[in-house]
Structures are given as C-alpha cells and as structure tokens.
Amino acid sequence: MFDRRKPVGKVVALPVEQIEPSPYQARRVFDQEELAGLAASIRENGLLQPVTVRRLGPDRYELIAGERRLRACKLAGMDRVPAILRDYQDDQTAALSLLENIQRADLNPFEQARGLQDVLALWGCTQAEAAKRLGMAQPTLANKLRLLQLTADQQQFILENHLTERHARAVLRLPENRRSEALITISRRRMNARAADRYVEQLLQETDTPAQKPRRLPMVRDVRIFVNTIDHAIRLMTDNGVPATARREEGDGYIEYTVRIPTGPGPGK
C-alpha cells in the first residue's frame, strides 16, 4: 500500500491553516513593525529558514519553533510554508520552543521566566535537573524564576521604562510593599543597574536600623549647680512677694527654662 505520510526530518510545504501555535510558546508580545518588515523580506526572498512542526493528526500540525516566521508568512499572504517535520514528545517540544527564543534573545526577562516555569511544571523535576537539561547554571535559573515574584504591574513598568533584569532583581530584595516606589525612583533618576543596587542597599540599611529613642543624658555637675541656682532664685523671689514663675522642659540632650518675672508693682502696692 502506498504510504502518503510525510517523511519525518524532511522539509515539506504545509498549508498555513493546518499549523497550530505551540501551547508552550513563552513569547507573549510580537513587534508588529518588525513582523511587517520580515513579511516584506519573505515576499521578496521567500522564507529562508523553515519552521519546525510535529504531527498531531491527519492534516494537523503543531508548531515547535518559528512562531515569528509563521506569523510573518501569514502577513505576507503565503498559503504554504516550508516546514521541518519532527517527532517530538511534549517535554521536548516545550524545551525546544523555549530554547529557540532564549538563544535568539527574543524573550523579555519575564517571558523567559514564565517559559522556564512551564518547562519545570511539564518535566516535573527539580530546578537543578531542569538547569542541567537546559544547559544553564542552577543559580541563573533560580534568579530568573524569582522575577515572577513581581506583580504584573511592576513587570509592565519595568518593560515600559526600559529597565533591565538586574534592576528587577535589585528591587526583589525589598519587602513587597516597597518595590513599586523603588522602581519609580530608579526610573525617575535614570539609575543604571549598579546605582540601583546601591540605592536598594541603602533602603535596606535604613529599614534594619532601629529608630533612635531620645536619650536622657545624665546631668553634669556644673549644669546641676546652675539649675539649682535658678530654682533657688525663683523660690527667693516668691518668698519675697514677687510672683515669678519658671517652666522647665527636658529634651534630647538639653534643658530649657522659661522664667517669667513681673516688672510692675506687686498686688496691694
């Protein structure tokens, strides 16, 4: 019987409507201007690098690599695209989709982090095992995953203000309720990553330093003598019919006296 199945590993021309997007695509944002430029190039020169797909069923394929190229082909009005047919399992598909974008630097830091999170969930393995399979250091993987601790608004602020992954990691050292304010300050002052690290360190030191309580300094001998002299003078005046008054306040390292002595004649004079 004649086998009409398309050969695995060969480049074949597939109808674009038969290719479904990958559920493991980490990239969320596509630059429309860039896609338009790629579409123009494809109309002029054709698609130079085929997309990669796997078979899902009769006349159904799932994209493994080449989301940007496939979108540009559709924009260019192509009915068929050259594709390499591969026989991959789910875990291989997720990893390949992610690695293609990472290697091409097509993902922003948060898309990378979400892609890595998806791969870990799919593989059901530890960070150390995933890092080994992805060819990256385990601390690097852990640092990227930590970016997802920032809220969606904070992530969007970082992208819109062209801050870097290092800026994001710097503010993650702060308590949750102080991160947004720190990001605004970093952006407003146009701090580079090193300056942002120093700024966050300063904020942490201010947080760690307990508030100083006012200290009651011991009264040195000469000051005590002076205070006693004032008290004695007030008592002497009041004993002799002069309605003098004194108000004493103690602050942090000082004593303040307010003395009121009437200048007019006393009562009955």
Side-chain angles (χ1 to χ4, degrees), residues 220-232 257:
V220 298
R221 182 173 180 276
D222 291 343
V223 173
R224 186 185 302 114
I225 292 173
F226 181 71
V227 168
N228 290 337
T229 301
I230 295 176
D231 290 339
H232 178 71
Y257 261 98

Side-chain angles (χ1 to χ4, degrees), residues 233-239 241-246 258-262:
I234 297 298
R235 286 196 301 271
L236 185 61
M237 283 188 283
T238 56
D239 290 345
V242 178
T245 59
T258 303
V259 179
R260 295 175 61 89
I261 305 173

Side-chain angles (χ1 to χ4, degrees), residues 9 27 49 124 170 174 264:
R27 190 174 184 179
Q49 182 181 357
L174 294 168

Side-chain angles (χ1 to χ4, degrees), residues 13 40 42 63 75 86 120 128 142 206 239 255 268:
I42 290 172
L63 190 67
L75 195 61
R86 296 291 187 186
L120 258 70
E206 292 173 358
D239 290 345
I255 299 173

Side-chain angles (χ1 to χ4, degrees), residues 126-155:
T126 65
Q127 287 189 14
E129 293 170 340
K132 183 177 180 180
R133 293 173 69 174
L134 291 168
M136 65 174 59
Q138 193 275 331
T140 301
L141 175 61
N143 281 333
K144 288 185 179 296
L145 291 173
R146 287 183 61 242
L147 297 176
L148 300 180
Q149 296 176 18
L150 295 170
T151 67
D153 288 341
Q154 290 166 348
Q155 294 176 24

